[in-house]
């Protein structure tokens, strides 16, 4: 954004809205400062993936049902699927046989597809661990044995292992195999979860005591190999009771929450859980399930308030979706909601997590997120605030609709004057859209009274929602029996979905242009100032404001240095093919190779390198692969990367080397370079870059560029030095009550933005004039002419005028000269732009 600053509106419109609700914070009070915001929506769930990752880049994966115990359907019947079991029972030799390669084959595909594994769920034991059970007929109970219809659940094997010692040994062997295959560091980066929604019968047919013993048995086995492994479990909400207690387990007990007894047992018996997972589906069709105001108490309070709760444990929502129903009319399960109701539910849930981060609330795992998908608008906007410190929000006043629930997330970048506010409007009682709410957004900052800030906003309501806009004229495309708030792929007819897929939203949400605002005095007499903006927010809508000071937008005119040497520098580099993963930390770029895939590549795009300025590529690098030839490619329009590869020799001795690559003899180092790749065809090892730098030619000239302004406004660059041939777009943005008049100095122009190419020292001034002295081009008269204009000596002559008095003003609105006659002489004043007033008509005079 700093590089693509748009022209702001010339006048700030002060709203006359009378706000009934105020959301505010005090950024100067450290008591309000909380932990930085983070992306709580960064985990995607996947069930037994066989062919690598199919989730979009940037997300981590929680992998469910990976160790076996799954079922398949044959001739309409559920049967055991042994093909993925990592343990089989050899009944002839009476022993368990491990098949860990079945797991690592699938893990390798995930790793090679550039998706980071967040968690592996040890949720269903292989079928071998049913060995030893006796099953009694369905519908009977002897309080000892499981029933026949519990042998295979809708998910597979939902029974505790019959032989606990054999399962303990198996888990130890599994962890040992993972460490031997991937290394201890990699395996320790994964979390291991025991169970899934364990109080749900088809997930766990055992009793509470069965699971307590199973969790302890698994936890001890994992820690026998990796004492520092991250281990946890996944329950239902602490108040869960399955079907009001009408369904009983094999011992005659209702399926109900295990949470309280689990917490107490673990505390009393030195069993450590590092995280605890719960599930929640916000069903819009249920008044209770869509009531966000009770979510914390319902899901989390009984955990963290338990006297024996592990205060170091984190809490994740491990299954989540905002849905219209859990049972769609097509029989395919829940249907995701896609109206603005879902947007605000997820912002509300995010705020619950942020407000309770100190209690361990951390992440939410969503279903969906497949390749080609994207975050919904609310989460996309929220994630622009990541890493900024959250500040406590104060909400005062009463909404016009008493059941509306208005709140905001305030955030500020550490040690910077960057302020964000995300306001939302939800209703826990009804899905009906009501009248908009008038809201005042206010905050106290450390800035002095009278400081000019620039702000923009982005608003999203039902008027911006693609589905809701589509259905205004296409309601007939919704299939019978389906809620029109659901995802189009499920609720629309074939013809309707085809029409929707080519439909262009006529009112998609976007940021406004930047506007200026001036801070006002605090009312408590303390230092600092107040920023206050009135807005109007519709039902089930959000609005984000970004406030920035002038220095946020400004970059220094600098020589075009192209270097990557810090973690932040390396962040834009990505892996663009299988066979390699990238680490970007410790101020290093590490390429980890894991297969012999043809040309696993790392690339950076979005460059704008003038190849004429550079002649050397310098690498500070070490190589621990089996190969010593790194290849690189730069793009040239109309050519293929493969046709212009350049090979570099890097000794594979694991030592640091500084290597200078001559670019002058490379045919593809020409024109403007906007993409650069490096690759090596190897199977193992790493190449680590400490520094990558394109170094300029020795004979490139450097010039001084001086940029200044007259009047009040914002410039996107400040003075500096530049290589000859560099291009810059100068942008001038007037403050409230001012307008941009033009550029003076070495370049005279009214273009905005102004493109300059540096070929000598430059002195450029942006001129802003108060609106009271602005030139109304429609009222200019042709009865007189001023010449020469511009004037190099400050003397101007008026032709064809009737000898009325004239006046000269500077750009601050002060009259500096008046007279009568045809000659105007401003040579005693500084060079610049002046305003001539004659017969209530204005003309610009440029003295340069």
């Amino acid at each position: 954004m700093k590089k693509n600053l748009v022209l702001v509106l010339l006048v700030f419109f002060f709203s006359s809205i009378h706000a009934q609700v105020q959301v505010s914070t005090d950024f100067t009070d450290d008591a309000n400062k909380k932990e930085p915001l983070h992306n709580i929506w960064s985990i995607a769930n996947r069930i037994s993936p066989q062919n690598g990752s199919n989730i979009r880049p940037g997300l981590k994966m929680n992998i469910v049902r990976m160790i076996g115990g799954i079922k398949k359907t044959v001739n309409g019947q559920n049967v055991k699927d042994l093909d993925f079991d990592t343990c089989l029972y050899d009944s002839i030799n009476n022993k368990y046989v491990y098949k860990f390669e079945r797991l690592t084959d699938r893990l390798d595909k995930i790793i090679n597809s550039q998706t980071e594994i967040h968690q592996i769920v040890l949720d269903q034991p292989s079928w071998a661990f049913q060995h030893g059970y006796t099953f009694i007929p369905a519908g009977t109970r002897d309080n000892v044995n499981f029933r026949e219809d519990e042998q295979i659940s809708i998910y597979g094997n939902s029974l505790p292992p019959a032989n606990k010692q054999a399962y303990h040994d198996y888990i130890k062997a599994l962890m040992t195999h993972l460490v031997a295959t991937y290394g201890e560091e990699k395996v320790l980066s994964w979390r291991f979860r025991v169970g899934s929604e364990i109080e749900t019968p088809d997930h766990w047919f055992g009793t509470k005591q069965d699971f307590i013993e199973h969790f302890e048995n698994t936890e001890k086995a994992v820690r026998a190999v990796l004492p520092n492994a991250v281990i946890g479990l996944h329950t239902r909400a602490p108040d869960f009771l399955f079907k009001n207690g009408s369904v009983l387990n094999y011992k005659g007990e209702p399926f109900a929450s295990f949470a309280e007894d689990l917490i107490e047992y673990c505390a009393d018996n030195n069993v450590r859980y590092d995280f605890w997972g719960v599930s929640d589906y916000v069903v819009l069709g249920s008044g209770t399930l869509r009531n966000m105001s009770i979510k914390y108490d319902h899901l989390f309070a009984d955990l963290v308030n338990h006297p024996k709760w592990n205060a170091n444990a984190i809490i994740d929502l491990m299954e989540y979706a905002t849905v219209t129903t859990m049972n769609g009319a097509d029989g395919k399960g829940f249907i995701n909601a896609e109206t603005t109701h879902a947007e605000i539910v997820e912002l509300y849930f995010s705020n619950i997590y942020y407000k309770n981060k100190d209690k361990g609330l951390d992440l939410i795992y969503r279903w969906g997120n497949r390749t080609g998908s994207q975050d919904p608008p609310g989460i996309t906007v929220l994630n622009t605030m990541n890493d900024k410190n959250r500040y406590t929000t104060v909400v005062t006043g009463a909404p016009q609709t008493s059941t509306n629930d208005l709140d905001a997330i305030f955030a500020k970048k550490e040690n910077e004057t960057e302020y964000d506010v995300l306001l939302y409007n939800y209703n826990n009682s009804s899905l009906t859209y009501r009248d908009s709410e008038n809201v005042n957004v206010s905050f106290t900052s450390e800035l002095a009274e009278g400081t000019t800030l620039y702000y923009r906003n982005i608003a999203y309501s039902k008027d911006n929602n693609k589905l809701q806009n589509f259905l205004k004229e296409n309601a007939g495309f919704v299939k019978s029996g389906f809620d029109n708030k659901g995802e189009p792929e499920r609720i629309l007819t074939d013809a309707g979905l085809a029409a929707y897929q080519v439909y262009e939203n006529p009112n998609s949400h976007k940021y406004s242009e930047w506007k200026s605002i001036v801070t006002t005095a605090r009312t408590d007499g303390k230092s600092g100032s107040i920023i206050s903006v009135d807005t109007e927010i519709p039902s089930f809508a959000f609005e984000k404001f970004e406030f920035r000071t002038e220095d946020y937008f400004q970059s220094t005119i600098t020589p075009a240095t192209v270097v990557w040497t810090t973690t932040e520098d390396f962040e834009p580099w990505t892996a663009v093919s299988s066979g390699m993963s990238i680490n970007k930390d410790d101020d290093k770029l590490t390429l980890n190779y894991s297969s012999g895939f043809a040309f696993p590549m790392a690339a950076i795009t979005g460059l704008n390198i003038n190849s004429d300025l550079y002649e050397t590529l310098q690498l500070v690098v070490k190589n621990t692969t089996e190969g010593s030839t790194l290849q690189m490619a730069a793009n040239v329009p109309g050519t293929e990367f493969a046709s212009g590869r350049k090979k570099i020799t890097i000794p594979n001795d694991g030592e640091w080397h500084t290597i200078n690559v001559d670019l002058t003899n490379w045919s593809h180092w020409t024109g403007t370079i906007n993409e650069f790749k490096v690759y090596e065809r190897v199977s193992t090892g790493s190449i680590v870059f400490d520094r990558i730098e394109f170094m300029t030619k020795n004979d490139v000239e450097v010039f001084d560029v001086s940029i200044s302004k007259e009047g009040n406004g914002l410039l996107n660059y400040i003075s500096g030095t530049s290589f000859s041939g560099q291009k810059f777009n100068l942008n001038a943005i007037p403050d409230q009550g001012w307008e941009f008049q033009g550029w003076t100095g070495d370049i005279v122009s009214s273009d905005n933005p102004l493109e300059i190419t540096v070929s000598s020292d430059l002195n450029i001034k942006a001129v802003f004039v108060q609106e009271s002295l602005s030139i109304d081009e429609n009222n200019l008269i042709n009865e007189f002419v001023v010449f020469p204009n511009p004037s190099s000596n400050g003397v101007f002559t008026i032709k064809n005028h009737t000898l009325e008095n004239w006046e000269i003003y500077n750009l601050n609105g002060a009259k500096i000269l008046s007279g009568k006659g045809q000659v105007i002489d401003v040579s005693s004043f500084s060079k610049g732009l002046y305003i001539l007033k004659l017969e209530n008509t204005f003309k610009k005079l440029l003295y340069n």
Side-chain angles (χ1 to χ4, degrees):
M1 181 176 58
K2 292 183 180 181
K3 302 299 184 186
N4 298 285
L5 194 62
V6 299
L7 183 63
V8 301
L9 297 176
L10 298 182
V11 181
F12 171 67
F13 175 75
F14 287 99
S15 173
S16 59
I17 296 172
H18 176 65
Q20 293 180 272
V21 174
Q22 183 185 64
V23 293
S24 63
T25 196
D26 184 349
F27 285 118
T28 69
D29 186 349
D30 285 342
N32 291 328
K33 184 179 178 181
K34 306 303 177 184
E35 293 184 69
L37 300 176
H38 67 288
N39 182 5
I40 67 174
W41 303 92
S42 58
I43 311 298
N45 285 323
R46 281 293 173 270
I47 299 175
S48 301
Q50 301 177 29
N51 299 305
S53 170
N54 61 344
I55 64 174
R56 68 174 184 269
L59 298 179
K60 298 180 181 180
M61 183 184 290
N62 173 45
I63 319 171
V64 184
R65 295 177 217 151
M66 288 293 286
I67 60 174
I70 64 176
K71 58 102 175 174
K72 60 184 177 181
T73 303
V74 178
N75 297 325
Q77 299 295 316
N78 289 333
V79 298
K80 299 174 181 178
D81 186 347
L82 302 178
D83 291 343
F84 294 104
D85 275 15
T86 51
C87 183
L88 302 175
Y89 186 71
D90 180 352
S91 57
I92 296 176
N93 296 303
N94 194 31
K95 67 177 183 178
Y96 295 89
V97 179
Y98 303 146
K99 298 287 186 179
F100 296 136
E101 69 279 0
R102 296 177 173 180
L103 171 63
T104 53
D105 284 348
R106 285 186 287 165
L107 292 178
D108 286 345
K109 292 176 182 177
I110 295 170
I111 293 169
N112 291 339
S113 58
Q114 311 307 318
T115 295
E116 185 175 346
I117 296 172
H118 175 69
Q119 179 170 274
I120 298 175
V121 181
L122 310 174
D123 56 344
Q124 292 183 195
S126 296
W127 294 108
F129 294 105
Q130 284 193 0
H131 174 73
Y133 278 133
T134 298
F135 295 97
I136 61 176
T140 66
R141 185 174 67 247
D142 62 6
N143 295 333
V144 175
N145 296 301
F146 290 101
R147 280 75 65 105
E148 285 287 351
D149 58 344
E150 294 172 327
Q151 189 172 6
I152 302 177
S153 77
I154 63 174
Y155 302 112
N157 181 19
S158 298
L159 302 182
N163 186 327
K164 295 181 177 61
Q165 185 58 53
Y167 190 75
H168 182 90
D169 294 341
Y170 156 78
I171 291 294
K172 286 176 60 178
L174 172 62
M175 301 308 296
T176 301
H177 177 77
L178 290 176
V179 170
T181 304
Y182 301 108
E184 183 172 317
E185 182 179 359
K186 172 66 78 175
V187 178
L188 283 174
S189 72
W190 303 335
R191 304 187 343 172
F192 295 93
R193 188 182 91 195
V194 182
S196 297
E197 293 187 331
I198 52 177
E199 299 93 342
T200 309
D202 276 292
H203 277 300
W204 182 259
F205 284 127
T207 65
K208 180 194 307 180
Q209 185 59 36
D210 289 336
F211 185 79
I212 290 174
E213 293 173 5
H214 177 62
F215 178 67
E216 179 180 30
N217 189 37
T218 307
E219 187 262 354
K220 298 300 184 187
V222 173
R223 295 201 196 283
V225 178
L226 291 172
N228 296 319
V230 180
I231 307 171
L233 63 158
H234 180 196
T235 71
R236 300 297 292 265
D239 62 356
F240 177 76
L241 179 63
F242 186 72
K243 293 189 176 180
N244 296 317
S246 61
V247 179
L248 306 180
N249 63 28
Y250 76 105
K251 289 195 173 182
E253 305 163 345
F255 287 91
S257 174
F258 298 175
E260 183 175 355
D261 287 352
L262 264 167
I263 293 170
E264 292 182 1
Y265 183 88
C266 289
D268 295 342
N269 294 276
N270 194 31
V271 178
R272 192 179 92 220
Y273 52 88
D274 302 298
F275 60 87
W276 194 293
V278 293
S279 296
D280 192 61
Y281 292 81
V282 175
V283 184
L284 295 182
S286 166
T288 299
L289 296 179
R290 71 166 180 260
N291 187 346
M292 301 303 295
S293 67
I294 64 174
K295 289 296 181 184
Y296 177 79
D297 289 338
H298 168 62
L299 295 172
F300 313 117
D302 289 343
L303 296 175
V304 299
N305 293 338
H306 193 289
K308 292 188 177 181
W309 172 253
N310 175 13
N312 295 318
I314 62 173
I315 304 174
D316 291 346
L317 271 181
M318 295 191 176
E319 288 189 29
Y320 179 82
T322 307
V323 304
T324 60
T325 177
M326 293 299 293
N327 299 291
D330 54 6
K332 297 179 180 179
F334 68 77
I335 298 179
N336 286 305
E338 202 155 313
T339 57
T340 66
H341 304 94
E343 300 289 343
I344 311 309
V345 160
E346 295 181 5
L347 287 179
Y348 202 135
F349 231 138
S350 300
N351 208 8
I352 291 172
Y353 259 67
Y354 292 138
K355 289 179 178 180
N356 295 281
K357 190 172 182 178
D358 61 333
K359 300 180 182 69
L361 273 64
D362 191 32
L363 299 170
I364 299 177
Y365 306 0
R366 281 182 297 179
W367 294 106
N369 299 301
R370 295 184 180 274
T371 302
S373 67
Q374 57 186 2
D375 274 321
I379 302 307
T380 298
V381 170
L382 176 63
N383 282 337
T384 63
M385 301 166 66
N386 288 341
D387 302 323
K388 295 179 179 178
N389 291 107
R390 185 181 71 85
Y391 280 72
T392 302
T393 301
V394 177
V395 182
T396 56
Q400 178 177 315
T401 299
S402 61
T403 52
N404 277 346
D405 194 345
L406 293 117
D407 207 344
I409 301 171
F410 284 85
K412 179 181 180 295
K413 189 172 183 180
E414 186 75 22
N415 299 321
E416 300 286 347
T417 51
E418 295 183 21
Y419 314 91
D420 287 0
V421 188
L422 181 54
L423 171 70
Y424 59 86
N425 182 7
Y426 186 71
N427 192 300
N428 289 292
S429 302
S430 171
L431 298 177
T432 303
Y433 288 90
R434 311 295 181 89
D435 291 337
S436 298
E437 295 285 352
N438 298 328
V439 181
N440 173 257
V441 177
S442 176
F443 60 87
T444 305
S445 78
E446 71 279 20
L447 301 172
E449 175 191 354
T451 300
T452 296
L453 288 92
Y454 300 85
Y455 82 96
R456 67 176 183 172
N457 64 300
I458 185 168
Y460 181 85
S461 70
K462 65 183 179 66
D463 293 332
N464 308 106
N465 181 277
K466 179 180 177 180
L467 175 63
Q468 288 170 283
N469 280 333
F470 175 78
L471 292 180
K472 287 178 182 178
E473 298 181 0
N474 299 281
F477 282 132
V478 178
K479 292 186 289 189
S480 176
F482 286 82
D483 190 320
N484 65 3
K485 294 183 288 297
E487 58 186 311
E489 291 76 10
R490 296 283 293 282
I491 70 168
L492 298 179
T493 63
D494 290 344
L497 182 58
Y500 180 79
Q501 289 173 337
V502 298
Y503 174 75
E504 291 190 12
N505 189 352
N507 190 30
S508 59
H509 62 298
K510 60 183 179 181
Y511 279 100
S512 69
E513 294 181 328
W514 292 93
K515 301 173 280 286
S516 68
I517 187 171
V518 179
T519 65
T520 59
R522 295 181 62 156
T523 58
D524 55 10
K526 296 181 180 179
S527 61
S529 61
I530 293 175
I531 292 87
S532 178
V533 174
D534 288 332
T535 191
E536 192 173 337
I537 186 166
S539 278
F540 298 100
F542 69 79
E543 185 172 14
K544 186 197 178 193
F545 295 88
E546 297 176 350
F547 296 85
R548 306 289 187 262
T549 52
E550 183 176 18
D551 56 356
Y552 173 81
F553 302 96
Q554 291 183 322
S555 300
T556 304
I557 294 281
T558 57
T561 303
V562 183
V563 59
W564 297 272
T565 189
T566 68
T567 298
E568 184 178 6
D569 293 340
F570 290 127
E571 187 57 36
W573 285 82
T574 59
V576 293
S577 57
S578 299
M580 178 181 64
S581 61
I582 284 184
N583 290 336
K584 295 170 280 191
D585 51 24
D586 299 325
D587 294 332
K588 304 279 191 300
L589 174 66
T590 303
L591 313 182
N592 296 307
Y593 294 89
S594 56
S595 76
F597 183 84
F599 304 128
M601 299 182 185
I604 184 167
T605 60
L607 302 176
N608 185 22
I609 302 175
N610 182 349
S611 61
D612 292 337
L613 298 177
Y614 305 91
E615 63 182 1
T616 302
L617 169 65
Q618 185 178 88
L619 305 176
V620 180
V621 60
K622 66 178 176 181
N623 180 8
T624 60
T625 71
E626 68 270 28
S628 59
T629 302
L630 183 73
Q631 300 185 59
M632 68 182 192
N635 72 308
V636 176
T639 64
E640 296 291 334
F641 279 105
S643 67
R645 295 196 300 267
K646 188 175 182 67
K647 295 182 179 181
I648 306 167
T649 299
I650 304 176
N652 56 350
D653 55 7
E655 301 293 330
W656 288 107
H657 295 274
T658 299
I659 297 174
N660 291 321
V661 182
D662 183 6
L663 301 174
T664 60
N665 61 1
W666 183 17
S667 62
H668 273 44
W669 190 253
T670 183
T672 299
I673 308 299
N674 54 44
E675 185 172 16
F676 192 80
K677 292 181 179 180
V678 294
Y679 50 96
E680 182 180 12
R681 189 172 186 174
V682 293
S683 298
T684 59
S686 301
I687 294 180
V688 184
F689 296 94
D690 182 69
R691 186 179 185 90
I692 303 173
E693 180 175 6
F694 292 105
M695 305 180 72
T696 57
K697 298 177 179 178
N698 293 328
D699 59 353
V700 174
E701 294 183 273
V702 177
F703 295 108
D704 292 326
V705 181
S706 176
I707 300 174
S708 60
K709 65 181 179 182
E710 185 171 322
N712 294 349
L714 169 70
L715 301 178
N716 64 328
Y717 280 103
I718 59 177
S719 303
T721 58
S722 167
F723 291 138
S724 177
Q726 282 186 244
K727 294 182 179 181
F728 299 92
N729 282 326
L730 305 184
N731 213 326
I733 300 167
D735 284 354
Q736 173 192 332
W738 293 74
E739 69 174 26
F740 175 69
Q741 288 291 298
W743 306 94
T744 66
D746 292 330
I747 297 179
V748 178
S749 175
S750 59
D751 291 347
N752 193 24
L754 173 69
E755 182 179 291
I756 65 170
T757 300
V758 179
S759 58
S760 63
D761 291 340
L762 288 176
N763 192 321
I764 306 171
K765 179 185 287 186
V767 178
F768 300 94
V769 60
Q770 287 181 305
E771 288 181 329
S772 59
L773 293 176
S774 63
I775 306 299
D776 184 349
E777 300 294 345
N778 293 323
N779 291 332
L780 287 177
I781 58 175
N782 296 317
E783 281 77 8
F784 71 91
V785 175
V786 178
F787 68 93
N789 193 10
S791 169
S792 60
N793 62 4
V795 178
F796 301 84
T797 300
I798 304 174
K799 181 180 179 182
N800 297 333
H801 94 303
T802 55
L803 302 181
E804 286 86 357
N805 291 329
W806 46 257
E807 297 174 341
I808 302 296
Y809 293 83
N810 65 20
L811 293 181
N812 292 321
K815 183 168 67 174
I816 61 168
L817 193 65
S818 62
K820 200 172 184 178
Q822 292 181 297
V823 177
I824 301 172
D825 186 352
V826 296
S827 60
S828 60
F829 300 98
S830 60
K831 292 184 177 182
L833 191 65
Y834 296 92
I835 305 298
L836 164 64
K837 180 182 178 184
L838 178 64
E839 292 183 331
N840 293 317
T841 302
F842 301 92
K843 280 189 180 291
K844 293 179 282 189
L845 305 182
L846 183 56
Y847 171 30
N848 68 353

